[in-house]
Short mmCIF file of all heavy atoms in Angstrom, two decimals:
data_model
loop_
_atom_site.label_atom_id
_atom_site.label_comp_id
_atom_site.label_asym_id
_atom_site.label_seq_id
_atom_site.Cartn_x
_atom_site.Cartn_y
_atom_site.Cartn_z
N GLU A 119 0.82 -1.22 0.00
CA GLU A 119 0.00 0.00 0.00
C GLU A 119 0.85 1.27 0.00
O GLU A 119 0.59 2.23 0.74
CB GLU A 119 -0.96 0.01 1.20
CG GLU A 119 -1.92 -1.17 1.26
CD GLU A 119 -2.97 -1.12 0.15
OE1 GLU A 119 -3.10 -0.09 -0.53
OE2 GLU A 119 -3.66 -2.15 -0.04
N LEU A 120 1.88 1.29 -0.84
CA LEU A 120 2.73 2.48 -0.94
C LEU A 120 1.98 3.61 -1.63
O LEU A 120 1.25 3.39 -2.60
CB LEU A 120 4.00 2.15 -1.72
CG LEU A 120 5.09 1.46 -0.88
CD1 LEU A 120 5.95 0.56 -1.73
CD2 LEU A 120 5.94 2.50 -0.17
N LYS A 121 2.20 4.80 -1.17
CA LYS A 121 1.57 6.00 -1.74
C LYS A 121 2.60 7.12 -1.82
O LYS A 121 2.52 8.13 -1.13
CB LYS A 121 0.36 6.42 -0.90
CG LYS A 121 -0.78 5.40 -0.89
CD LYS A 121 -1.95 5.87 -0.04
CE LYS A 121 -3.13 4.92 -0.13
NZ LYS A 121 -2.80 3.57 0.38
N CYS A 122 3.57 6.95 -2.72
CA CYS A 122 4.63 7.95 -2.88
C CYS A 122 4.11 9.16 -3.66
O CYS A 122 3.20 9.04 -4.48
CB CYS A 122 5.82 7.36 -3.62
SG CYS A 122 6.57 5.91 -2.84
N SER A 123 4.73 10.30 -3.43
CA SER A 123 4.42 11.51 -4.21
C SER A 123 5.42 11.71 -5.33
O SER A 123 5.27 12.62 -6.13
CB SER A 123 4.42 12.73 -3.29
OG SER A 123 5.73 12.99 -2.82
N SER A 124 6.47 10.89 -5.37
CA SER A 124 7.62 10.94 -6.28
C SER A 124 8.66 11.96 -5.85
O SER A 124 9.71 12.10 -6.48
CB SER A 124 7.20 11.19 -7.74
OG SER A 124 6.93 12.54 -7.98
N ASN A 125 8.41 12.69 -4.78
CA ASN A 125 9.40 13.65 -4.27
C ASN A 125 10.30 13.05 -3.20
O ASN A 125 11.29 13.67 -2.80
CB ASN A 125 8.68 14.88 -3.69
CG ASN A 125 7.95 15.67 -4.76
OD1 ASN A 125 8.45 15.82 -5.87
ND2 ASN A 125 6.77 16.17 -4.42
N GLU A 126 9.96 11.87 -2.72
CA GLU A 126 10.76 11.23 -1.68
C GLU A 126 12.12 10.80 -2.23
O GLU A 126 12.26 10.48 -3.41
CB GLU A 126 10.03 10.01 -1.11
CG GLU A 126 8.73 10.34 -0.39
CD GLU A 126 7.52 10.39 -1.32
OE1 GLU A 126 7.72 10.27 -2.56
OE2 GLU A 126 6.40 10.54 -0.82
N SER A 127 13.12 10.78 -1.35
CA SER A 127 14.46 10.33 -1.74
C SER A 127 14.64 8.83 -1.56
O SER A 127 15.49 8.21 -2.23
CB SER A 127 15.53 11.06 -0.92
OG SER A 127 15.46 12.45 -1.13
N PHE A 128 13.86 8.22 -0.67
CA PHE A 128 13.95 6.79 -0.38
C PHE A 128 12.55 6.19 -0.37
O PHE A 128 11.60 6.81 0.12
CB PHE A 128 14.63 6.54 0.97
CG PHE A 128 16.02 7.14 1.06
CD1 PHE A 128 16.20 8.39 1.63
CD2 PHE A 128 17.11 6.45 0.58
CE1 PHE A 128 17.47 8.95 1.71
CE2 PHE A 128 18.38 7.00 0.66
CZ PHE A 128 18.57 8.25 1.23
N ILE A 129 12.43 4.98 -0.87
CA ILE A 129 11.11 4.35 -0.99
C ILE A 129 10.46 4.16 0.38
O ILE A 129 9.24 4.23 0.52
CB ILE A 129 11.23 3.00 -1.75
CG1 ILE A 129 9.84 2.46 -2.11
CG2 ILE A 129 12.04 1.99 -0.97
CD1 ILE A 129 9.11 3.26 -3.15
N TRP A 130 11.28 3.94 1.42
CA TRP A 130 10.71 3.74 2.75
C TRP A 130 10.29 5.05 3.42
O TRP A 130 9.76 5.03 4.51
CB TRP A 130 11.67 2.96 3.64
CG TRP A 130 13.12 3.35 3.49
CD1 TRP A 130 13.77 4.38 4.08
CD2 TRP A 130 14.07 2.68 2.66
NE1 TRP A 130 15.08 4.41 3.68
CE2 TRP A 130 15.31 3.37 2.80
CE3 TRP A 130 14.02 1.56 1.82
CZ2 TRP A 130 16.47 2.98 2.14
CZ3 TRP A 130 15.18 1.18 1.15
CH2 TRP A 130 16.38 1.88 1.31
N GLU A 131 10.50 6.19 2.75
CA GLU A 131 9.96 7.45 3.25
C GLU A 131 8.50 7.65 2.81
O GLU A 131 7.82 8.55 3.31
CB GLU A 131 10.80 8.63 2.74
CG GLU A 131 12.20 8.69 3.34
CD GLU A 131 13.00 9.85 2.78
OE1 GLU A 131 12.59 10.44 1.75
OE2 GLU A 131 14.05 10.18 3.36
N CYS A 132 8.04 6.85 1.86
CA CYS A 132 6.67 6.99 1.36
C CYS A 132 5.66 6.45 2.36
O CYS A 132 5.95 5.50 3.10
CB CYS A 132 6.51 6.22 0.05
SG CYS A 132 7.65 6.73 -1.26
N PRO A 133 4.47 7.04 2.42
CA PRO A 133 3.41 6.45 3.25
C PRO A 133 3.12 5.02 2.81
O PRO A 133 3.06 4.72 1.62
CB PRO A 133 2.21 7.37 2.99
CG PRO A 133 2.79 8.66 2.50
CD PRO A 133 4.02 8.28 1.74
N SER A 134 2.94 4.12 3.77
CA SER A 134 2.67 2.72 3.45
C SER A 134 2.15 2.02 4.69
O SER A 134 2.12 2.59 5.79
CB SER A 134 3.94 2.02 2.97
OG SER A 134 4.87 1.87 4.03
N ALA A 135 1.75 0.77 4.51
CA ALA A 135 1.45 -0.07 5.67
C ALA A 135 2.75 -0.29 6.45
O ALA A 135 3.85 -0.10 5.90
CB ALA A 135 0.86 -1.40 5.22
N SER A 136 2.66 -0.70 7.67
CA SER A 136 3.85 -0.90 8.49
C SER A 136 4.69 -2.06 7.93
O SER A 136 4.18 -2.91 7.18
CB SER A 136 3.46 -1.19 9.94
OG SER A 136 2.59 -2.31 10.01
N TRP A 137 5.96 -2.09 8.28
CA TRP A 137 6.87 -3.11 7.77
C TRP A 137 6.30 -4.51 7.99
O TRP A 137 5.91 -4.88 9.10
CB TRP A 137 8.23 -3.02 8.47
CG TRP A 137 9.05 -1.84 8.03
CD1 TRP A 137 9.15 -0.63 8.67
CD2 TRP A 137 9.87 -1.74 6.87
NE1 TRP A 137 9.99 0.21 7.98
CE2 TRP A 137 10.46 -0.45 6.86
CE3 TRP A 137 10.18 -2.63 5.84
CZ2 TRP A 137 11.33 -0.02 5.87
CZ3 TRP A 137 11.05 -2.20 4.83
CH2 TRP A 137 11.61 -0.91 4.86
N GLY A 138 6.21 -5.29 6.91
CA GLY A 138 5.76 -6.68 7.01
C GLY A 138 4.26 -6.86 7.10
O GLY A 138 3.77 -8.00 7.14
N ASN A 139 3.50 -5.77 7.13
CA ASN A 139 2.04 -5.85 7.24
C ASN A 139 1.43 -5.81 5.83
O ASN A 139 1.48 -4.79 5.16
CB ASN A 139 1.52 -4.68 8.09
CG ASN A 139 0.03 -4.77 8.34
OD1 ASN A 139 -0.60 -5.79 8.10
ND2 ASN A 139 -0.54 -3.67 8.83
N HIS A 140 0.85 -6.92 5.37
CA HIS A 140 0.35 -7.00 4.00
C HIS A 140 -0.69 -8.12 3.89
O HIS A 140 -0.86 -8.93 4.81
CB HIS A 140 1.51 -7.30 3.04
CG HIS A 140 2.12 -8.66 3.27
ND1 HIS A 140 1.67 -9.79 2.64
CD2 HIS A 140 3.15 -9.06 4.08
CE1 HIS A 140 2.37 -10.83 3.05
NE2 HIS A 140 3.27 -10.41 3.93
N ASP A 141 -1.35 -8.17 2.74
CA ASP A 141 -2.27 -9.27 2.44
C ASP A 141 -1.95 -9.82 1.05
O ASP A 141 -2.83 -10.10 0.24
CB ASP A 141 -3.73 -8.81 2.53
CG ASP A 141 -4.03 -7.63 1.60
OD1 ASP A 141 -3.08 -7.12 0.97
OD2 ASP A 141 -5.20 -7.25 1.50
N CYS A 142 -0.67 -9.97 0.74
CA CYS A 142 -0.21 -10.31 -0.60
C CYS A 142 0.53 -11.64 -0.60
O CYS A 142 0.98 -12.13 0.44
CB CYS A 142 0.75 -9.24 -1.13
SG CYS A 142 0.09 -7.56 -1.03
N SER A 143 0.66 -12.22 -1.78
CA SER A 143 1.54 -13.36 -2.00
C SER A 143 2.67 -12.89 -2.92
O SER A 143 2.61 -11.80 -3.48
CB SER A 143 0.78 -14.52 -2.65
OG SER A 143 0.46 -14.20 -4.00
#
């Protein structure tokens, strides 16, 4: 659930679910 604005310098600066929290395979 990443929601970057494209202005971030690092991918982990983007809003997202917490580390390891997902419903994906």
Side-chain angles (χ1 to χ4, degrees):
E119 301 291 348
L120 279 151
K121 295 180 175 62
C122 302
S123 67
S124 79
N125 294 322
E126 296 87 355
S127 299
F128 303 95
I129 191 69
W130 40 83
E131 292 178 346
C132 302
S134 69
S136 56
W137 287 97
N139 185 13
H140 65 89
D141 57 355
C142 308
S143 71

